[in-house]
């Protein structure tokens, strides 16, 4: 019986060694896996941030371009209004002169 118990203890010790070795291997693997996952998360966040930055820049450029076009349109409208006013005054003076008989 003693021999049987000794064999059981030896088998239990072998299983315990296997479990211990697996646990050690897992413990060594986990930090590497965590580091790889962290690097992947950082890279993903970097790419997302780049996309958002590009979108913001594109939007800012669009706003700048829109503002530039609006400013040019306002300037052109102002010039045209000034020119129209001047031409209206000239044409009014001309018509009055013709009606009065000076022209």
């Amino acid at each position: 019986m003693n021999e049987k118990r000794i064999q059981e203890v030896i088998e239990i010790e072998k299983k315990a060694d296997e479990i211990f070795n697996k646990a050690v291997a897992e413990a060594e693997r986990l930090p590497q896996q965590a580091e790889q996952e962290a690097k992947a998360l950082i890279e993903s966040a970097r790419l997302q941030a780049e996309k958002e930055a590009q979108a913001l820049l594109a939007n800012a450029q669009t706003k700048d371009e829109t503002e530039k076009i609006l400013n040019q349109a306002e300037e052109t409208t102002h010039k045209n209004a000034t020119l129209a006013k001047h031409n209206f005054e000239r044409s009014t003076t001309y018509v009055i002169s013709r009606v009065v008989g000076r022209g």
Side-chain angles (χ1 to χ4, degrees):
M1 262 309 237
N2 246 354
E3 188 67 33
K4 188 176 181 183
R5 291 278 183 207
I6 293 173
Q7 283 299 336
E8 288 176 357
V9 169
I10 291 173
E11 284 300 315
I12 291 171
E13 285 179 351
K14 283 182 183 178
K15 287 181 183 178
D17 280 344
E18 286 177 21
I19 293 171
F20 176 78
N21 289 336
K22 286 180 182 178
V24 168
E26 181 75 9
E28 290 172 355
R29 186 185 62 79
L30 285 176
Q32 293 171 349
Q33 181 182 357
E35 184 179 353
Q36 289 174 347
E37 289 174 2
K39 285 180 181 178
L41 285 172
I42 290 169
E43 182 63 15
S44 175
R46 185 187 67 76
L47 290 173
Q48 183 65 29
E50 278 184 11
K51 259 188 213 177
E52 289 176 14
Q54 289 172 353
L56 287 172
L57 284 174
N59 190 25
Q61 290 172 350
T62 301
K63 284 182 181 179
D64 288 344
E65 187 66 25
T66 302
E67 191 172 314
K68 181 180 173 184
I69 290 169
L70 284 174
N71 287 339
Q72 288 174 347
E74 285 177 12
E75 186 178 320
T76 302
T77 302
H78 180 69
K79 285 180 183 178
N80 288 342
T82 303
L83 186 61
K85 183 179 178 183
H86 177 70
N87 287 338
F88 180 75
E89 289 173 0
R90 283 184 56 210
S91 62
T92 303
T93 302
Y94 175 77
V95 169
I96 291 173
S97 295
R98 293 292 283 184
V99 169
V100 174
R102 291 189 203 157

XYZ file of all heavy atoms in Angstrom:
816
model
N 0.821 -1.201 0.000
C 0.000 0.000 0.000
C 0.853 1.248 0.000
O 0.494 2.224 -0.603
C -0.816 0.024 1.278
C -2.179 -0.419 1.339
S -3.454 0.015 0.367
C -4.638 0.622 1.336
N 1.930 1.170 0.743
C 2.840 2.306 0.810
C 3.369 2.682 -0.565
O 3.501 3.864 -0.865
C 4.003 1.956 1.733
C 4.001 2.797 2.987
O 3.194 3.709 3.094
N 4.897 2.475 3.891
N 3.689 1.649 -1.344
C 4.203 1.879 -2.697
C 3.151 2.592 -3.542
O 3.473 3.501 -4.308
C 4.582 0.519 -3.312
C 5.293 0.601 -4.626
C 6.668 1.223 -4.516
O 7.358 1.048 -3.494
O 7.051 1.913 -5.473
N 1.896 2.216 -3.395
C 0.801 2.836 -4.138
C 0.650 4.305 -3.740
O 0.461 5.172 -4.572
C -0.485 2.063 -3.890
C -1.607 2.514 -4.746
C -2.812 1.637 -4.526
C -3.937 2.083 -5.419
N -5.147 1.323 -5.216
N 0.744 4.595 -2.474
C 0.649 5.979 -1.980
C 1.810 6.826 -2.496
O 1.620 7.978 -2.871
C 0.651 6.006 -0.446
C -0.561 5.462 0.177
C -1.622 6.513 0.176
N -2.791 5.995 0.862
C -3.995 6.387 0.625
N -4.210 7.305 -0.267
N -5.004 5.878 1.280
N 2.968 6.237 -2.514
C 4.144 6.952 -3.006
C 3.949 7.300 -4.474
O 4.253 8.419 -4.905
C 5.437 6.119 -2.779
C 5.720 6.008 -1.279
C 6.612 6.729 -3.517
C 6.861 5.079 -0.930
N 3.425 6.350 -5.265
C 3.161 6.591 -6.687
C 2.122 7.715 -6.858
O 2.261 8.566 -7.730
C 2.663 5.308 -7.371
C 3.747 4.313 -7.675
C 4.792 4.895 -8.633
O 4.556 5.809 -9.397
N 5.996 4.350 -8.561
N 1.080 7.706 -6.012
C 0.055 8.749 -6.069
C 0.658 10.116 -5.761
O 0.359 11.108 -6.423
C -1.091 8.440 -5.096
C -1.969 7.306 -5.548
C -3.037 6.954 -4.514
O -3.064 7.550 -3.422
O -3.848 6.077 -4.821
N 1.489 10.158 -4.754
C 2.137 11.426 -4.377
C 3.037 11.908 -5.506
O 3.056 13.097 -5.838
C 2.923 11.260 -3.050
C 3.808 12.475 -2.788
C 1.989 11.007 -1.880
N 3.749 10.987 -6.116
C 4.633 11.343 -7.238
C 3.801 11.897 -8.393
O 4.163 12.901 -9.013
C 5.504 10.139 -7.666
C 6.537 9.815 -6.584
C 6.198 10.412 -9.000
C 7.342 8.548 -6.828
N 2.674 11.242 -8.689
C 1.792 11.725 -9.762
C 1.227 13.097 -9.421
O 1.158 13.983 -10.275
C 0.652 10.719 -10.000
C 1.057 9.490 -10.755
C 1.591 9.815 -12.137
O 0.992 10.631 -12.871
O 2.649 9.247 -12.484
N 0.832 13.281 -8.184
C 0.304 14.581 -7.752
C 1.381 15.655 -7.882
O 1.118 16.766 -8.336
C -0.247 14.493 -6.311
C -1.506 13.630 -6.292
C -0.527 15.881 -5.747
C -2.020 13.304 -4.905
N 2.602 15.327 -7.505
C 3.714 16.270 -7.624
C 3.984 16.611 -9.088
O 4.251 17.758 -9.424
C 4.972 15.710 -6.957
C 4.938 15.750 -5.449
C 6.191 15.177 -4.807
O 7.042 14.577 -5.519
O 6.326 15.324 -3.589
N 3.896 15.614 -9.985
C 4.098 15.865 -11.415
C 3.028 16.812 -11.945
O 3.318 17.755 -12.675
C 4.067 14.544 -12.206
C 5.324 13.723 -12.099
C 5.205 12.470 -12.961
C 6.419 11.573 -12.836
N 6.286 10.339 -13.634
N 1.760 16.550 -11.542
C 0.672 17.416 -11.976
C 0.842 18.827 -11.403
O 0.608 19.823 -12.090
C -0.676 16.834 -11.557
C -1.074 15.637 -12.372
C -2.430 15.099 -11.944
C -2.764 13.848 -12.733
N -4.046 13.275 -12.328
N 1.268 18.893 -10.167
C 1.495 20.201 -9.542
C 2.618 20.949 -10.265
O 2.526 22.161 -10.492
C 1.827 20.032 -8.060
N 3.674 20.227 -10.646
C 4.771 20.838 -11.416
C 4.281 21.340 -12.767
O 4.652 22.427 -13.213
C 5.921 19.838 -11.616
C 6.817 19.714 -10.393
O 6.737 20.607 -9.516
O 7.581 18.730 -10.329
N 3.439 20.526 -13.430
C 2.893 20.939 -14.729
C 2.047 22.199 -14.582
O 2.174 23.148 -15.361
C 2.048 19.808 -15.331
C 2.843 18.651 -15.876
C 1.925 17.543 -16.389
O 0.735 17.818 -16.683
O 2.401 16.404 -16.495
N 1.192 22.196 -13.574
C 0.340 23.365 -13.321
C 1.204 24.580 -13.005
O 0.966 25.684 -13.515
C -0.672 23.069 -12.188
C -1.677 22.016 -12.655
C -1.376 24.346 -11.738
C -2.582 21.478 -11.556
N 2.223 24.385 -12.176
C 3.118 25.486 -11.818
C 3.830 26.019 -13.055
O 3.909 27.231 -13.278
C 4.134 25.013 -10.772
C 5.141 26.065 -10.419
C 4.826 27.106 -9.574
C 6.417 26.013 -10.966
C 5.747 28.086 -9.257
C 7.360 26.991 -10.656
C 7.027 28.029 -9.796
N 4.348 25.117 -13.902
C 5.056 25.538 -15.108
C 4.133 26.285 -16.066
O 4.524 27.280 -16.680
C 5.696 24.336 -15.804
C 6.873 23.785 -15.027
O 7.497 24.505 -14.245
N 7.176 22.513 -15.214
N 2.883 25.810 -16.190
C 1.920 26.509 -17.035
C 1.626 27.904 -16.468
O 1.508 28.872 -17.215
C 0.623 25.706 -17.158
C 0.744 24.507 -18.058
C -0.578 23.752 -18.147
C -0.438 22.506 -19.008
N -1.702 21.737 -19.063
N 1.498 27.974 -15.147
C 1.224 29.265 -14.510
C 2.393 30.226 -14.719
O 2.185 31.417 -15.000
C 0.940 29.086 -13.022
N 3.609 29.734 -14.616
C 4.792 30.576 -14.841
C 4.828 31.050 -16.291
O 5.082 32.231 -16.576
C 6.090 29.811 -14.466
C 7.324 30.552 -14.972
C 6.168 29.612 -12.961
N 4.556 30.133 -17.221
C 4.560 30.506 -18.642
C 3.477 31.548 -18.909
O 3.703 32.522 -19.642
C 4.349 29.267 -19.511
N 2.316 31.361 -18.324
C 1.216 32.324 -18.486
C 1.602 33.675 -17.881
O 1.344 34.723 -18.475
C -0.050 31.779 -17.806
C -1.255 32.658 -17.933
C -1.881 32.623 -19.317
O -1.495 31.791 -20.157
O -2.772 33.452 -19.563
N 2.225 33.648 -16.733
C 2.654 34.884 -16.078
C 3.695 35.620 -16.916
O 3.723 36.848 -16.943
C 3.213 34.581 -14.688
N 4.547 34.889 -17.606
C 5.541 35.518 -18.477
C 4.901 36.045 -19.759
O 5.324 37.053 -20.307
C 6.652 34.514 -18.820
C 7.545 34.171 -17.645
C 8.523 33.047 -17.942
O 8.449 32.458 -19.046
O 9.347 32.761 -17.065
N 3.867 35.363 -20.237
C 3.198 35.745 -21.476
C 2.295 36.968 -21.287
O 2.184 37.812 -22.179
C 2.377 34.561 -21.992
C 1.754 34.776 -23.354
C 0.852 33.617 -23.746
N -0.279 33.418 -22.857
C -1.402 34.159 -22.883
N -1.507 35.150 -23.731
N -2.393 33.912 -22.054
N 1.649 37.089 -20.153
C 0.675 38.166 -19.935
C 1.255 39.576 -20.103
O 0.646 40.409 -20.768
C 0.005 38.014 -18.569
C -1.038 36.896 -18.488
C -1.572 36.776 -17.070
C -2.177 37.149 -19.451
N 2.419 39.870 -19.533
C 2.958 41.231 -19.738
C 3.255 41.529 -21.211
O 3.000 42.635 -21.688
C 4.245 41.250 -18.915
C 4.064 40.189 -17.893
C 3.211 39.138 -18.547
N 3.742 40.542 -21.932
C 4.012 40.738 -23.362
C 2.712 40.985 -24.123
O 2.638 41.869 -24.970
C 4.737 39.530 -23.944
C 6.137 39.345 -23.410
C 6.749 38.016 -23.841
O 6.064 37.140 -24.365
N 8.053 37.863 -23.599
N 1.706 40.198 -23.794
C 0.410 40.366 -24.442
C -0.176 41.738 -24.102
O -0.692 42.435 -24.983
C -0.560 39.263 -24.009
C -1.924 39.373 -24.667
C -2.876 38.287 -24.183
O -2.507 37.413 -23.403
N -4.103 38.353 -24.642
N -0.079 42.137 -22.844
C -0.597 43.443 -22.426
C 0.140 44.565 -23.146
O -0.476 45.550 -23.582
C -0.470 43.604 -20.914
N 1.444 44.425 -23.306
C 2.233 45.434 -24.009
C 1.816 45.534 -25.477
O 1.657 46.624 -26.022
C 3.723 45.116 -23.901
C 4.610 46.162 -24.532
C 6.089 45.850 -24.392
O 6.446 44.894 -23.687
O 6.884 46.581 -25.009
N 1.611 44.386 -26.110
C 1.181 44.377 -27.513
C -0.194 45.013 -27.661
O -0.434 45.803 -28.580
C 1.164 42.949 -28.061
C 2.543 42.369 -28.265
C 2.495 40.887 -28.665
O 1.451 40.244 -28.562
N 3.631 40.356 -29.093
N -1.103 44.687 -26.752
C -2.440 45.271 -26.806
C -2.383 46.777 -26.570
O -3.101 47.542 -27.211
C -3.364 44.588 -25.796
C -3.730 43.168 -26.192
C -4.530 42.429 -25.119
O -4.836 43.034 -24.065
O -4.848 41.257 -25.339
N -1.534 47.209 -25.635
C -1.391 48.636 -25.364
C -0.837 49.361 -26.592
O -1.317 50.449 -26.948
C -0.477 48.860 -24.162
N 0.150 48.756 -27.250
C 0.706 49.359 -28.461
C -0.355 49.467 -29.549
O -0.438 50.475 -30.252
C 1.905 48.549 -28.974
C 3.163 48.752 -28.158
C 4.320 47.918 -28.708
C 5.576 48.102 -27.886
N 6.685 47.279 -28.378
N -1.184 48.423 -29.681
C -2.247 48.447 -30.687
C -3.259 49.541 -30.365
O -3.713 50.264 -31.265
C -2.937 47.086 -30.752
N -3.604 49.694 -29.103
C -4.534 50.756 -28.697
C -3.950 52.137 -28.961
O -4.640 53.038 -29.450
C -4.894 50.615 -27.213
C -5.872 49.501 -26.859
C -5.988 49.364 -25.344
C -7.234 49.768 -27.463
N -2.677 52.299 -28.651
C -2.019 53.588 -28.875
C -1.996 53.913 -30.369
O -2.296 55.035 -30.776
C -0.586 53.583 -28.285
C -0.667 53.574 -26.758
C 0.232 54.755 -28.790
C 0.652 53.310 -26.065
N -1.674 52.935 -31.179
C -1.634 53.149 -32.634
C -3.028 53.485 -33.166
O -3.183 54.390 -33.989
C -1.078 51.904 -33.339
C -0.964 52.042 -34.829
C 0.004 53.118 -35.295
O 0.826 53.592 -34.487
O -0.067 53.503 -36.474
N -4.026 52.779 -32.672
C -5.397 53.052 -33.091
C -5.816 54.471 -32.690
O -6.424 55.195 -33.482
C -6.341 52.026 -32.457
O -7.678 52.336 -32.750
N -5.485 54.862 -31.472
C -5.815 56.212 -31.005
C -5.072 57.262 -31.825
O -5.632 58.313 -32.159
C -5.466 56.352 -29.527
N -3.817 56.989 -32.168
C -3.032 57.932 -32.974
C -3.662 58.113 -34.353
O -3.812 59.240 -34.850
C -1.589 57.441 -33.116
C -0.663 58.423 -33.840
C 0.706 57.821 -34.104
N 0.669 56.736 -35.049
C 0.537 56.862 -36.374
N 0.423 58.055 -36.909
N 0.526 55.810 -37.165
N -4.048 57.000 -34.973
C -4.666 57.075 -36.296
C -5.993 57.836 -36.238
O -6.286 58.652 -37.118
C -4.881 55.673 -36.862
C -3.613 54.915 -37.255
C -3.948 53.470 -37.641
C -2.887 55.617 -38.388
N -6.776 57.582 -35.204
C -8.049 58.284 -35.042
C -7.809 59.773 -34.841
O -8.510 60.614 -35.418
C -8.835 57.696 -33.853
C -10.189 58.311 -33.648
C -11.140 58.048 -34.805
O -11.034 57.040 -35.496
N -12.059 58.951 -35.026
N -6.816 60.115 -34.038
C -6.504 61.521 -33.800
C -6.043 62.204 -35.090
O -6.409 63.350 -35.355
C -5.426 61.642 -32.713
N -5.251 61.499 -35.886
C -4.813 62.057 -37.169
C -6.009 62.319 -38.081
O -6.082 63.354 -38.737
C -3.835 61.103 -37.867
C -2.417 61.207 -37.388
C -1.474 60.305 -38.169
O -1.861 59.739 -39.213
O -0.320 60.163 -37.724
N -6.942 61.356 -38.127
C -8.140 61.531 -38.954
C -8.934 62.751 -38.511
O -9.384 63.544 -39.331
C -9.038 60.292 -38.837
C -8.952 59.349 -39.965
C -10.032 58.285 -39.810
C -9.540 56.978 -40.367
N -10.501 55.904 -40.194
N -9.116 62.867 -37.203
C -9.880 63.993 -36.673
C -9.163 65.316 -36.953
O -9.803 66.306 -37.303
C -10.120 63.816 -35.178
C -11.111 62.719 -34.859
C -11.292 62.477 -33.373
O -10.857 63.309 -32.562
O -11.893 61.439 -33.020
N -7.847 65.318 -36.831
C -7.080 66.528 -37.103
C -7.204 66.925 -38.575
O -7.372 68.099 -38.905
C -5.609 66.326 -36.725
N -7.141 65.936 -39.466
C -7.283 66.224 -40.896
C -8.677 66.771 -41.202
O -8.828 67.700 -41.996
C -7.009 64.968 -41.721
C -5.548 64.580 -41.726
C -5.301 63.225 -42.386
O -6.230 62.510 -42.732
N -4.032 62.872 -42.539
N -9.683 66.199 -40.544
C -11.055 66.684 -40.758
C -11.200 68.117 -40.254
O -11.828 68.958 -40.914
C -12.052 65.768 -40.045
N -10.601 68.404 -39.109
C -10.662 69.766 -38.567
C -9.947 70.755 -39.489
O -10.445 71.862 -39.725
C -10.045 69.815 -37.163
C -10.870 69.175 -36.054
C -10.067 69.125 -34.756
C -12.167 69.934 -35.835
N -8.796 70.350 -40.003
C -8.059 71.221 -40.914
C -8.844 71.464 -42.193
O -8.919 72.600 -42.684
C -6.691 70.611 -41.254
C -5.635 70.717 -40.166
C -4.386 69.935 -40.570
C -5.284 72.158 -39.876
N -9.433 70.424 -42.724
C -10.225 70.569 -43.949
C -11.412 71.492 -43.696
O -11.720 72.353 -44.524
C -10.705 69.206 -44.429
N -12.050 71.324 -42.555
C -13.194 72.157 -42.206
C -12.754 73.609 -42.033
O -13.433 74.529 -42.485
C -13.856 71.639 -40.932
C -15.181 72.310 -40.660
O -15.839 72.792 -41.569
N -15.570 72.340 -39.409
N -11.606 73.809 -41.391
C -11.099 75.162 -41.185
C -10.765 75.812 -42.524
O -11.060 76.992 -42.742
C -9.865 75.138 -40.277
N -10.170 75.057 -43.433
C -9.837 75.592 -44.745
C -11.106 75.940 -45.511
O -11.161 76.948 -46.199
C -8.986 74.588 -45.529
C -7.587 74.450 -44.966
C -6.809 73.324 -45.608
O -7.347 72.518 -46.352
N -5.511 73.265 -45.312
N -12.122 75.104 -45.384
C -13.392 75.375 -46.047
C -14.009 76.651 -45.503
O -14.505 77.482 -46.263
C -14.362 74.182 -45.849
O -13.761 73.018 -46.383
C -15.683 74.428 -46.528
N -13.956 76.818 -44.180
C -14.502 78.033 -43.572
C -13.717 79.253 -44.030
O -14.303 80.291 -44.329
C -14.474 77.930 -42.043
C -15.554 77.043 -41.488
C -15.525 77.014 -39.973
C -16.604 76.096 -39.436
N -16.574 76.035 -37.967
N -12.392 79.136 -44.079
C -11.562 80.250 -44.543
C -11.906 80.608 -45.985
O -12.018 81.780 -46.335
C -10.070 79.906 -44.439
C -9.571 79.878 -43.002
O -10.281 80.405 -42.116
O -8.478 79.343 -42.771
N -12.055 79.595 -46.824
C -12.370 79.825 -48.228
C -13.746 80.470 -48.357
O -13.934 81.409 -49.142
C -12.323 78.496 -49.006
C -12.464 78.657 -50.493
C -11.298 79.401 -51.138
O -10.186 79.389 -50.587
O -11.514 80.003 -52.202
N -14.703 79.994 -47.590
C -16.054 80.569 -47.610
C -16.023 82.025 -47.174
O -16.658 82.886 -47.803
C -16.986 79.757 -46.677
O -17.005 78.404 -47.112
C -18.390 80.314 -46.674
N -15.289 82.295 -46.112
C -15.183 83.677 -45.622
C -14.531 84.573 -46.672
O -14.964 85.704 -46.905
C -14.367 83.699 -44.327
C -14.433 85.029 -43.609
C -13.785 84.946 -42.241
O -14.044 83.988 -41.505
O -13.011 85.882 -41.928
N -13.517 84.066 -47.344
C -12.836 84.829 -48.392
C -13.805 85.150 -49.530
O -13.862 86.289 -50.012
C -11.644 84.019 -48.916
C -10.838 84.714 -49.979
C -9.685 83.829 -50.438
C -8.960 84.427 -51.616
N -7.918 83.531 -52.123
N -14.582 84.161 -49.944
C -15.547 84.363 -51.035
C -16.605 85.376 -50.617
O -16.973 86.271 -51.399
C -16.188 83.023 -51.446
C -15.141 82.148 -52.142
C -17.391 83.237 -52.348
C -15.568 80.714 -52.357
N -17.092 85.255 -49.383
C -18.095 86.208 -48.900
C -17.536 87.630 -48.855
O -18.218 88.599 -49.243
C -18.605 85.799 -47.517
C -19.580 84.632 -47.482
C -19.891 84.240 -46.040
C -20.872 84.989 -48.204
N -16.311 87.766 -48.399
C -15.687 89.092 -48.351
C -15.535 89.683 -49.752
O -15.785 90.872 -49.966
C -14.322 89.029 -47.647
C -14.454 88.843 -46.154
O -15.496 89.132 -45.569
N -13.401 88.353 -45.527
N -15.124 88.840 -50.704
C -14.988 89.312 -52.080
C -16.348 89.720 -52.649
O -16.460 90.735 -53.349
C -14.360 88.229 -52.958
C -12.888 88.013 -52.698
C -12.317 86.839 -53.485
O -13.056 86.029 -54.044
N -10.986 86.749 -53.530
N -17.376 88.932 -52.340
C -18.718 89.251 -52.828
C -19.212 90.570 -52.229
O -19.811 91.402 -52.934
C -19.686 88.123 -52.488
N -18.962 90.772 -50.950
C -19.367 92.027 -50.305
C -18.629 93.214 -50.925
O -19.228 94.266 -51.173
C -19.089 91.962 -48.801
C -20.057 91.109 -48.034
C -19.717 91.011 -46.552
O -18.868 91.784 -46.062
O -20.316 90.143 -45.892
N -17.345 93.032 -51.179
C -16.554 94.099 -51.783
C -17.069 94.438 -53.180
O -17.242 95.605 -53.535
C -15.081 93.673 -51.842
C -14.142 94.751 -52.317
C -12.697 94.282 -52.299
O -12.302 93.580 -51.347
O -11.968 94.622 -53.262
N -17.344 93.404 -53.958
C -17.870 93.607 -55.314
C -19.236 94.285 -55.263
O -19.505 95.222 -56.045
C -17.982 92.262 -56.055
O -16.682 91.658 -56.098
C -18.507 92.443 -57.460
N -20.085 93.852 -54.353
C -21.415 94.458 -54.198
C -21.282 95.926 -53.819
O -21.996 96.793 -54.353
C -22.227 93.706 -53.124
O -22.336 92.340 -53.508
C -23.603 94.300 -52.950
N -20.375 96.232 -52.919
C -20.165 97.622 -52.502
C -19.674 98.482 -53.673
O -20.161 99.597 -53.893
C -19.165 97.669 -51.338
C -18.890 99.052 -50.846
N -19.829 99.805 -50.182
C -17.779 99.828 -50.940
C -19.308 100.988 -49.885
N -18.068 101.024 -50.337
N -18.712 97.939 -54.439
C -18.207 98.672 -55.604
C -19.322 98.910 -56.614
O -19.452 100.019 -57.167
C -17.058 97.911 -56.273
C -15.752 97.982 -55.534
C -14.670 97.198 -56.261
C -13.367 97.209 -55.500
N -12.334 96.416 -56.172
N -20.118 97.876 -56.868
C -21.217 98.012 -57.822
C -22.257 99.016 -57.342
O -22.798 99.791 -58.138
C -21.875 96.660 -58.093
C -21.000 95.747 -58.920
O -20.060 96.200 -59.576
N -21.284 94.457 -58.893
N -22.544 99.005 -56.040
C -23.517 99.957 -55.494
C -22.995 101.385 -55.625
O -23.748 102.307 -55.994
C -23.817 99.633 -54.031
N -21.725 101.584 -55.337
C -21.121 102.913 -55.466
C -21.159 103.372 -56.921
O -21.517 104.520 -57.217
C -19.663 102.893 -54.945
O -19.671 102.448 -53.596
C -19.021 104.252 -55.031
N -20.790 102.483 -57.831
C -20.797 102.801 -59.256
C -22.228 103.092 -59.733
O -22.454 104.058 -60.481
C -20.194 101.638 -60.049
C -20.003 101.853 -61.542
C -19.061 103.025 -61.792
C -19.456 100.588 -62.181
N -23.183 102.297 -59.281
C -24.582 102.512 -59.671
C -25.079 103.863 -59.160
O -25.778 104.585 -59.876
C -25.451 101.380 -59.129
N -24.719 104.202 -57.948
C -25.136 105.493 -57.382
C -24.551 106.636 -58.205
O -25.247 107.606 -58.538
C -24.692 105.589 -55.921
C -25.149 106.850 -55.236
C -24.708 106.871 -53.779
C -25.138 108.169 -53.120
N -24.670 108.267 -51.757
N -23.285 106.519 -58.519
C -22.624 107.557 -59.307
C -23.284 107.682 -60.690
O -23.579 108.799 -61.162
C -21.128 107.240 -59.453
C -20.386 108.209 -60.310
N -20.149 109.509 -59.917
C -19.831 108.063 -61.544
C -19.486 110.125 -60.885
N -19.271 109.270 -61.885
N -23.516 106.515 -61.338
C -24.151 106.537 -62.664
C -25.584 107.053 -62.591
O -26.035 107.745 -63.507
C -24.121 105.147 -63.300
C -22.727 104.776 -63.775
O -21.895 105.658 -64.011
N -22.476 103.498 -63.902
N -26.290 106.752 -61.510
C -27.658 107.235 -61.344
C -27.649 108.760 -61.234
O -28.470 109.444 -61.859
C -28.297 106.610 -60.100
C -29.699 107.072 -59.864
C -30.736 106.599 -60.646
C -29.987 107.994 -58.859
C -32.043 107.030 -60.436
C -31.282 108.425 -58.647
C -32.306 107.939 -59.432
N -26.705 109.294 -60.475
C -26.608 110.756 -60.322
C -26.280 111.398 -61.667
O -26.869 112.426 -62.033
C -25.551 111.103 -59.274
C -25.978 110.767 -57.856
C -24.862 110.958 -56.837
O -23.729 111.353 -57.220
O -25.116 110.695 -55.652
N -25.369 110.791 -62.406
C -25.015 111.332 -63.721
C -26.196 111.279 -64.682
O -26.467 112.240 -65.410
C -23.844 110.546 -64.327
C -22.508 110.933 -63.716
C -21.338 110.231 -64.376
N -21.310 110.472 -65.817
C -20.825 109.631 -66.713
N -20.322 108.469 -66.330
N -20.812 109.922 -67.989
N -26.887 110.116 -64.671
C -28.013 109.991 -65.596
C -29.158 110.924 -65.204
O -29.833 111.498 -66.072
C -28.501 108.546 -65.663
O -28.971 108.123 -64.408
N -29.375 111.119 -63.922
C -30.413 112.058 -63.472
C -30.068 113.470 -63.915
O -30.926 114.211 -64.422
C -30.554 112.001 -61.937
O -30.842 110.661 -61.548
C -31.656 112.916 -61.444
N -28.824 113.847 -63.736
C -28.388 115.189 -64.160
C -28.553 115.336 -65.664
O -29.030 116.380 -66.144
C -26.906 115.410 -63.762
O -26.786 115.237 -62.360
C -26.422 116.780 -64.156
N -28.221 114.316 -66.414
C -28.350 114.357 -67.868
C -29.812 114.532 -68.280
O -30.146 115.361 -69.123
C -27.762 113.091 -68.495
C -27.959 113.000 -69.974
C -27.165 113.745 -70.844
C -28.946 112.177 -70.514
C -27.348 113.669 -72.218
C -29.139 112.090 -71.873
C -28.339 112.845 -72.725
O -28.528 112.766 -74.075
N -30.698 113.736 -67.664
C -32.114 113.795 -68.007
C -32.679 115.168 -67.661
O -33.408 115.783 -68.446
C -32.908 112.674 -67.304
C -34.417 112.887 -67.441
C -32.509 111.323 -67.859
N -32.342 115.661 -66.502
C -32.843 116.988 -66.103
C -32.326 118.050 -67.067
O -33.075 118.941 -67.490
C -32.450 117.304 -64.644
C -33.224 116.388 -63.701
C -32.712 118.757 -64.304
C -32.810 116.480 -62.259
N -31.080 117.938 -67.449
C -30.510 118.901 -68.396
C -31.232 118.833 -69.723
O -31.513 119.866 -70.348
C -29.023 118.635 -68.625
O -28.300 118.842 -67.445
N -31.556 117.668 -70.180
C -32.258 117.523 -71.468
C -33.662 118.073 -71.375
O -34.148 118.717 -72.323
C -32.333 116.032 -71.855
C -30.992 115.406 -72.174
C -30.391 115.939 -73.399
N -31.037 115.354 -74.564
C -30.686 115.567 -75.779
N -29.675 116.349 -76.042
N -31.323 115.011 -76.781
N -34.315 117.819 -70.244
C -35.685 118.291 -70.085
C -35.706 119.819 -70.012
O -36.542 120.482 -70.620
C -36.343 117.689 -68.819
C -37.654 118.352 -68.474
C -36.537 116.198 -69.014
N -34.792 120.387 -69.318
C -34.724 121.835 -69.163
C -34.270 122.475 -70.475
O -34.536 123.631 -70.729
C -33.813 122.204 -67.985
C -33.588 123.681 -67.878
C -34.363 121.662 -66.691
N -33.624 121.741 -71.280
C -33.215 122.238 -72.587
C -31.791 122.703 -72.636
O -31.417 123.445 -73.533
N -30.976 122.245 -71.734
C -29.572 122.667 -71.758
C -28.699 121.662 -72.469
O -27.505 121.879 -72.603
C -29.069 122.839 -70.316
C -29.690 123.979 -69.627
C -28.965 124.195 -68.316
N -29.845 124.902 -67.397
C -29.760 124.908 -66.128
N -28.834 124.181 -65.533
N -30.576 125.595 -65.388
N -29.233 120.582 -72.870
C -28.374 119.567 -73.411
C -28.557 119.350 -74.798
O -28.259 119.334 -75.814
